[in-house]
Amino acid sequence: MNRKRVAIQGIKASFHEEAAFKFFGENIDTIECSSFKKTCEVLKNKEADFVVMAIENSIAGSLLPNYTLLRDYHLCIIGEVYLSIQLHLMALPGVKFEQIKNVESHPIAIRQCIDFIDEYPHLNIVESSDTAACAKRIRDEQLTDTVAIANQLAAKLYGLEILERRIESNKKNFTRFLILSEHNGWDIPNPNKASLSFETNDEVGSLAKVLNIFAEHNVNLSKIQSMPVLGKRNEYNFYVDIEWEDTAAYKEALSKILRYTINFTLMGEYIKNENVK
């Protein structure tokens, strides 16, 4: 059986690869990409079977440009992963804390560890595009005066020693990742969550009517995100995640909201997953 090819933003041992392992298992081939747009291009060119894409963080909020990519590339959501973001301070084996001059990581990871970092004002903070890339650079260049903030997977892959564990300020920090495919041909058994995008009619109360239809059919609105429609003043795309127990009621709700929406897209039906580890 062919191994699944999964495109990730970042390099091996990044949080995106950790999320890919959590969803697919470790018997996959991860394809490293320098940007989220690149992951979409790799999928479009059939160089990957799936994309794992972060969409929101419990502290930093939504990754708004990724909603635009989902729509522009017509990607289908077939699953989701919630990953606990655990950040560790790591260095080459044998390096002592007293030797450290530089701390390297992704700017969001740095912000999430600011309470720890503030205790050591003499350290020079260096921002990078990827947490795992910082760990790899320390290994490749044998840097004895630099530490990385990254996950345990990075420490293991690049042979680094963890000096301080769980230095993130908020221990309940998690990121939600979407599992994406180029086509909607996946038969997901018994889906109970869906992602939609739509605009509403330019009438008073149009969005309220849509939301009321969901409520009347016991369909739970778990997220709503608005994005301006490019080039159209005061017009917005709404991205909505909904959950249900009664599939028939969910289908009926969808049919009823169509009269109040424009450019409606069902971006994917999948299994709700809030198993945060």
Side-chain angles (χ1 to χ4, degrees):
M1 184 178 178
N2 292 334
R3 288 158 61 100
K4 295 179 177 68
R5 301 170 301 164
V6 182
I8 59 170
Q9 186 273 325
I11 69 171
K12 292 185 184 301
S14 65
F15 283 107
H16 275 83
E17 186 177 60
E18 189 175 347
F21 286 164
K22 184 176 178 183
F23 189 86
F24 293 105
E26 296 192 15
N27 189 31
I28 60 173
D29 292 324
T30 48
I31 299 171
E32 301 174 339
C33 298
S34 57
S35 67
F36 287 114
K37 184 175 182 179
K38 180 68 174 176
T39 65
C40 299
E41 286 291 328
V42 164
L43 184 66
K44 179 183 175 182
N45 294 332
K46 304 192 185 314
E47 296 165 16
D49 306 306
F50 304 95
V51 166
V52 174
M53 179 184 287
I55 199 67
E56 63 181 299
N57 176 264
S58 57
I59 296 174
S62 296
L63 281 74
L64 296 180
N66 287 358
Y67 281 97
T68 303
L69 289 174
L70 291 176
R71 193 168 185 89
D72 289 350
Y73 282 86
H74 308 290
L75 299 179
C76 178
I77 303 169
I78 65 161
E80 65 178 0
V81 169
Y82 284 82
L83 192 66
S84 175
I85 303 301
Q86 300 182 5
L87 296 164
H88 312 293
L89 199 71
M90 57 193 69
L92 288 173
V95 168
K96 304 299 182 187
F97 196 89
E98 299 74 41
Q99 298 173 246
I100 298 166
K101 296 177 182 176
N102 306 304
V103 178
E104 289 194 13
S105 196
H106 189 280
I108 292 179
I110 290 169
R111 287 203 302 273
Q112 291 171 350
C113 299
I114 199 65
D115 290 343
F116 177 87
I117 292 170
D118 280 349
E119 295 179 21
Y120 306 96
H122 65 284
L123 295 177
N124 178 42
I125 307 303
V126 181
E127 294 186 351
S128 173
S129 60
D130 185 72
T131 54
C134 299
K136 183 175 184 294
R137 192 172 92 85
I138 290 173
R139 192 275 312 270
D140 290 349
E141 299 181 22
Q142 291 292 293
L143 303 175
T144 57
D145 63 351
T146 302
V147 288
I149 297 174
N151 61 9
Q152 192 165 324
L153 200 60
K156 181 179 179 182
L157 181 63
Y158 300 115
L160 301 186
E161 197 171 82
I162 295 178
L163 301 181
E164 295 281 349
R165 293 184 178 274
R166 302 298 305 272
I167 65 170
E168 68 274 11
S169 300
N170 189 325
K171 307 304 181 190
K172 295 184 179 180
N173 179 16
F174 65 85
T175 295
R176 178 182 177 222
F177 297 82
L178 299 178
I179 312 301
L180 307 171
S181 170
E182 196 182 13
H183 58 85
N184 200 7
W186 298 95
D187 183 21
I188 308 295
N190 303 314
N192 57 6
K193 188 169 183 178
S195 295
L196 322 171
S197 74
F198 55 83
E199 299 168 50
T200 55
N201 296 323
D202 188 18
E203 299 174 6
V204 174
S206 289
L207 179 60
K209 288 174 183 174
V210 170
L211 301 184
N212 282 334
I213 289 170
F214 287 141
E216 290 163 3
H217 291 76
N218 291 316
V219 173
N220 180 46
L221 181 76
S222 59
K223 176 163 186 175
I224 182 167
Q225 179 73 54
S226 64
M227 291 275 288
V229 176
L230 193 62
K232 295 185 179 181
R233 186 166 170 263
N234 296 330
E235 294 188 26
Y236 294 87
N237 273 319
F238 295 98
Y239 296 87
V240 170
D241 292 336
I242 54 176
E243 303 167 3
W244 64 89
E245 294 183 1
D246 185 336
T247 300
Y250 154 70
K251 297 288 187 184
E252 186 176 342
L254 282 195
S255 67
K256 286 185 176 180
I257 70 169
L258 289 176
R259 73 187 71 170
Y260 302 110
T261 61
I262 303 168
N263 295 328
F264 175 89
T265 302
L266 176 59
M267 303 176 75
E269 297 176 334
Y270 47 98
I271 305 295
K272 174 184 175 182
N273 183 355
E274 289 186 345
N275 180 23
V276 182
K277 287 185 179 178

